[in-house]
Amino acid sequence: MMELPYAPPLTRRTLADPVIPEPPRRGDPGGEPCGVCPGEDGPHTIWSDDNWILNHGVETSLAGAVWLATRVHVDSFADLDSALAQDFGVLSGRIDRALLALPDVARTHVYRWGDGGAHFHVWYLPRPLGMVQAQKMMLPLWEEVLPRASDEAISDAKRRIADCLTNEGPVRAREQPWDGAS
Ligand SMILES: [Zn+2]
């Protein structure tokens, strides 16, 4: 059964008044600089191609916690053109397979909030096998409080994920636009 990583007594907060206009996010006009632009590979990049970058999380308790970002600065799913949207589906399947192939992973969780930065990015978290307390929305909370994964575990996960994605070949393998017939 899923559980918060905190024990009672917890008290329910009062919902605050709406903050309108909302404060700018990183990468929004008037906000701090975008944390992803200029959309280049960095020290935590596991895999990339002409359009996408896959990075491993920093200071995470979950080896294999990765985030996928576009190279181009677009905000949300609503802003992806058809080619990027198709890529996203293909890549999500590949990342899911790569995470499920890690040792002792039960499920791949996919999170897209868009509340922190204005540059399109989606998180994929491996939910450890048997960690039923961390089901559903509890996993990011547990990720915050559990000890940081070891460098060895993170390095191993990065290598395994990179190998999986590389072995699956180019994301856009089709020469012709996909017509859904095959
Ligand atoms: Zn950006």
Side-chain angles (χ1 to χ4, degrees):
M1 82 319 278
M2 66 178 185
E3 290 181 327
L4 282 167
Y6 308 97
L10 296 175
T11 57
R12 182 172 173 175
R13 292 181 190 275
T14 302
L15 184 63
D17 291 335
V19 178
I20 301 174
E22 295 193 7
R25 303 165 297 174
R26 293 186 306 280
D28 270 333
E32 295 179 13
C34 177
V36 181
C37 280
E40 297 173 347
D41 294 14
H44 306 291
T45 299
I46 298 174
W47 170 95
S48 64
D49 70 2
D50 290 343
N51 302 295
W52 299 92
I53 307 168
L54 185 70
N55 288 300
H56 197 282
V58 181
E59 300 296 325
T60 179
S61 60
L62 298 173
V66 295
W67 54 281
L68 178 69
T70 49
R71 288 199 187 273
V72 64
H73 184 99
V74 291
D75 186 346
S76 185
F77 287 99
D79 306 307
L80 299 181
D81 63 24
S82 294
L84 286 175
Q86 290 183 45
D87 288 351
F88 178 79
V90 172
L91 276 167
S92 291
R94 294 182 179 187
I95 295 166
D96 188 17
R97 279 193 287 278
L99 266 55
L100 292 174
L102 295 174
D104 300 324
V105 169
R107 213 87 64 205
T108 301
H109 286 193
V110 182
Y111 303 95
R112 190 274 167 181
W113 288 280
D115 285 334
H119 192 124
F120 182 83
H121 65 289
V122 175
W123 280 93
Y124 302 80
L125 300 188
R127 206 266 289 156
L129 181 65
M131 196 185 287
V132 293
Q133 288 173 295
Q135 289 176 339
K136 300 183 180 179
M137 75 287 282
M138 298 302 166
L139 183 58
L141 300 176
W142 281 100
E143 185 200 14
E144 292 278 339
V145 301
L146 292 173
R148 182 186 183 281
S150 69
D151 290 341
E152 294 75 19
I154 289 176
S155 295
D156 183 62
K158 290 168 74 171
R159 181 183 53 75
R160 289 170 182 262
I161 295 166
D163 287 349
C164 281
L165 290 177
T166 301
N167 289 340
E168 296 223 30
V171 175
R172 297 184 188 179
R174 295 173 185 273
E175 295 294 328
Q176 301 297 324
W178 187 44
D179 60 6
S182 59

mmCIF file of all heavy atoms in Angstrom, residues 34 36-37 73 119, ligand 1:
data_model
loop_
_atom_site.group_PDB
_atom_site.id
_atom_site.type_symbol
_atom_site.label_atom_id
_atom_site.label_comp_id
_atom_site.label_asym_id
_atom_site.label_seq_id
_atom_site.Cartn_x
_atom_site.Cartn_y
_atom_site.Cartn_z
ATOM 1 N N CYS A 34 17.007 30.052 -18.626
ATOM 2 C CA CYS A 34 16.623 28.652 -18.811
ATOM 3 C C CYS A 34 17.768 27.752 -18.360
ATOM 4 O O CYS A 34 18.924 27.984 -18.704
ATOM 5 C CB CYS A 34 16.285 28.393 -20.281
ATOM 6 S SG CYS A 34 15.869 26.674 -20.618
ATOM 7 N N VAL A 36 18.126 24.641 -19.244
ATOM 8 C CA VAL A 36 18.420 23.614 -20.250
ATOM 9 C C VAL A 36 19.107 24.220 -21.471
ATOM 10 O O VAL A 36 20.009 23.621 -22.046
ATOM 11 C CB VAL A 36 17.126 22.880 -20.673
ATOM 12 C CG1 VAL A 36 17.430 21.792 -21.694
ATOM 13 C CG2 VAL A 36 16.428 22.287 -19.457
ATOM 14 N N CYS A 37 18.649 25.417 -21.881
ATOM 15 C CA CYS A 37 19.286 26.084 -23.026
ATOM 16 C C CYS A 37 20.761 26.352 -22.724
ATOM 17 O O CYS A 37 21.104 26.600 -21.580
ATOM 18 C CB CYS A 37 18.568 27.391 -23.341
ATOM 19 S SG CYS A 37 17.054 27.135 -24.298
ATOM 20 N N HIS A 73 14.079 25.143 -27.426
ATOM 21 C CA HIS A 73 13.329 25.677 -26.285
ATOM 22 C C HIS A 73 11.852 25.779 -26.646
ATOM 23 O O HIS A 73 11.415 26.744 -27.270
ATOM 24 C CB HIS A 73 13.877 27.044 -25.866
ATOM 25 C CG HIS A 73 13.209 27.584 -24.633
ATOM 26 N ND1 HIS A 73 13.768 27.475 -23.378
ATOM 27 C CD2 HIS A 73 12.010 28.199 -24.455
ATOM 28 C CE1 HIS A 73 12.946 28.017 -22.484
ATOM 29 N NE2 HIS A 73 11.873 28.473 -23.122
ATOM 30 N N HIS A 119 11.294 24.917 -20.202
ATOM 31 C CA HIS A 119 11.872 24.152 -21.314
ATOM 32 C C HIS A 119 11.350 22.717 -21.213
ATOM 33 O O HIS A 119 11.459 22.078 -20.162
ATOM 34 C CB HIS A 119 13.402 24.190 -21.199
ATOM 35 C CG HIS A 119 14.130 23.697 -22.399
ATOM 36 N ND1 HIS A 119 15.071 24.455 -23.070
ATOM 37 C CD2 HIS A 119 14.072 22.511 -23.065
ATOM 38 C CE1 HIS A 119 15.563 23.754 -24.084
ATOM 39 N NE2 HIS A 119 14.968 22.554 -24.085
HETATM 40 ZN ZN ZN B 1 15.440 26.516 -22.808
#
